[in-house]
Amino acid sequence: DGLKEMHFGALEGAVAAESDVYTETNAAWAQGDVDRAWPGGGESPRAVETRGRAALEALGLLGQDGAAPHSHVVIVCHGRFNKILLSSLLGRGLERCGEIQQGNCCINVVDIDASAPVDAAAPATEVVLDYREHLAAVDAEL
C-alpha cells in the first residue's frame, strides 16, 4: 500500500483538473502548505511522502545499516505519487512537486543512498526523469 497513488478524497475518480478545488489545492501546495489534504478524506503531499519513504525503507532502499539488499529495483507507480516522492528524495521540496513532469509510461532513474536515514533531506540523485524515448516506436504505429 505504501507505493499506491495519492488518495484524492472527494475528487477520487473525477476529472480533477477541471475543478476549482484542484486548482486551489495545487496553488496552496506551491505556496508551501504541503500538509493540506484533498477535501473529503484525501491525502496531503506530506502524508504521501511519509508513506512512500516508509515503503522504500521496507524494501531496503532507505534507512539501512550497511549495503542495500538490492542493486536494481523497479517501482511502478502513478504520476502524482512519483512527483511527490521524487521531489522529496531529490531534496527539491514538496512545494515544488508540480514542477516535475511525469508522462504516461515514463521511466525515472535515481540513485538512492540506502544507508541514508528515512527522513534524510536528499538521499537520492537524479540520473534521468520522465524518459519517454522508449515510446517512440509505439507512437509511430498509432
Side-chain angles (χ1 to χ4, degrees):
D1 284 347
L3 299 175
K4 66 183 179 182
E5 176 63 302
M6 175 181 233
H7 190 283
F8 289 86
L11 295 179
E12 196 72 39
V15 180
E18 297 175 2
S19 163
D20 288 339
V21 173
Y22 179 86
T23 303
E24 293 165 8
T25 302
N26 279 283
W29 295 345
Q31 295 298 314
D33 187 5
V34 295
D35 291 310
R36 181 174 176 166
W38 291 108
E43 289 183 287
S44 70
R46 179 84 63 217
V48 171
E49 173 191 40
T50 300
R51 142 170 94 72
R53 282 179 173 247
L56 293 180
E57 180 182 28
L59 290 170
L61 300 175
L62 273 178
Q64 302 304 302
D65 292 329
H70 315 287
S71 60
H72 295 87
V73 176
V74 174
I75 299 173
V76 179
C77 300
H78 289 271
R80 181 66 67 160
F81 178 87
N82 288 351
K83 291 178 178 193
I84 291 168
L85 193 59
L86 288 167
S87 290
S88 173
L89 294 174
L90 298 172
R92 296 183 180 184
L94 295 180
E95 67 278 0
R96 295 183 60 203
C97 69
E99 297 174 14
I100 292 181
Q101 297 299 309
Q102 291 291 279
N104 288 339
C105 303
C106 74
I107 296 172
N108 302 299
V109 179
V110 295
D111 288 334
I112 300 174
D113 177 1
S115 66
V118 175
D119 61 353
T125 54
E126 175 183 336
V127 176
V128 64
L129 298 182
D130 196 34
Y131 178 81
R132 295 184 239 174
E133 293 300 316
H134 62 289
L135 300 172
V138 174
D139 289 341
E141 292 178 12
L142 296 178

